[in-house]
């Protein structure tokens, strides 16, 4: 078996790995990491297979809508990030509405396959996302995690990211509009 890179952008060449990883349950119940990109009407009509096709279209267009992380040569985790303006849902949400007018890249989704949890994959995803954004000119990465310091977080809610992980990776709180969902930012050099 050839050694697989630790993290790669989603491209047509690695689409089979994206499908293998996210296709198990569509990542989170058929979402395919499209929730933050869709209007409410699109969510009602595209969920599941429509989301898979929409993500595939982004990949085929060369948009690199996320990164895959590998563990032992297998696709183990996914992170979705892009310039904030690609995620219209963020502006419509009271939790993630803009803090200010600074341009940011938004980290909106982390997914780790069950068999790879507890092996540092989520941390690797965050680090890869920060580096990916930096390489593309980002000055700030923003995230909208669940505050796990207030109590347990179920797997289906953990896709937002966890405060404890993100703060360990250099993110700092810049807003908190609900008790369990702060806005965190990491400034890049």
């Amino acid at each position: 078996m050839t050694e697989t890179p630790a993290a790669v952008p989603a491209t047509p060449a690695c689409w089979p790995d994206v499908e293998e990883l996210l296709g198990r349950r569509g990542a989170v119940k058929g979402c395919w990491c499209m929730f933050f990109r869709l209007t409410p009407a699109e969510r009602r009509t595209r969920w599941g297979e429509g989301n898979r096709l929409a993500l595939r279209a982004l990949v085929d267009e060369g948009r690199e809508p996320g990164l895959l992380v590998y563990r032992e040569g297998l696709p183990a985790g996914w992170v979705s990030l892009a310039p904030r303006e690609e995620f219209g849902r963020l502006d419509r949400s009271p939790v993630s509405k803009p803090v200010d007018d600074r341009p940011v890249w938004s980290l909106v989704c982390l997914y780790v396959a069950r068999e790879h949890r507890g092996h540092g994959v989520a941390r690797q995803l965050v680090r890869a996302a920060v580096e990916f954004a930096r390489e593309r000119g980002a000055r700030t990465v923003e995230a909208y995690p669940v505050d796990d310091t207030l109590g347990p977080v179920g797997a289906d809610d953990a896709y937002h990211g966890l405060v404890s992980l993100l703060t360990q990776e250099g993110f700092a709180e810049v807003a908190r509009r609900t008790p369990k969902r702060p806005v965190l930012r990491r400034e890049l050099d």
Side-chain angles (χ1 to χ4, degrees), residues 18 24 35 51 54 58 86 89-90 94 96 101 113 116 125 141 164 183 187 189:
V18 174
R24 296 170 188 184
F35 177 79
N51 283 352
L58 291 174
E86 291 193 25
R89 170 77 180 173
L90 295 177
S96 57
D101 60 357
H116 297 287
L125 286 165
V141 177
S164 61
V183 177
E187 302 301 329
D189 300 332

Side-chain angles (χ1 to χ4, degrees), residues 36 107-110 143-146 156-162 166 181:
F36 290 98
L107 189 160
V108 296
C109 180
L110 289 164
Y144 320 93
V146 178
D156 281 350
D157 290 327
Y159 77 91
H160 294 289
L162 300 175
L166 290 161
R181 297 286 309 283

Side-chain angles (χ1 to χ4, degrees), residues 20-22 24-25 27-28 33 67-71 74-80 109-126 155-156 158-162 165:
E20 179 183 332
L21 181 68
L22 299 185
R24 296 170 188 184
R25 291 179 56 218
V28 177
C33 277
L67 303 172
L68 277 169
V69 165
Y70 292 83
R71 181 171 167 267
L74 300 172
W78 166 267
V79 60
S80 180
C109 180
L110 289 164
Y111 175 75
V112 178
R114 183 179 313 275
E115 65 272 21
H116 297 287
R117 294 177 188 162
H119 296 281
V121 173
R123 184 172 311 282
Q124 190 177 356
L125 286 165
V126 170
D156 281 350
Y159 77 91
H160 294 289
L162 300 175
L165 168 64

Side-chain angles (χ1 to χ4, degrees), residues 21 52 56-57 60 82 93 159 162 173:
L21 181 68
R52 185 188 72 78
R56 175 67 192 253
D60 287 346
S93 169
Y159 77 91
L162 300 175
E173 187 172 324

Side-chain angles (χ1 to χ4, degrees), residues 102-105 133-134 136-141 186-189:
R102 293 181 56 201
V104 300
W105 274 55
R134 181 191 327 268
R136 283 150 182 79
R139 309 269 328 260
T140 305
V141 177
R186 176 156 171 200
E187 302 301 329
L188 307 181
D189 300 332

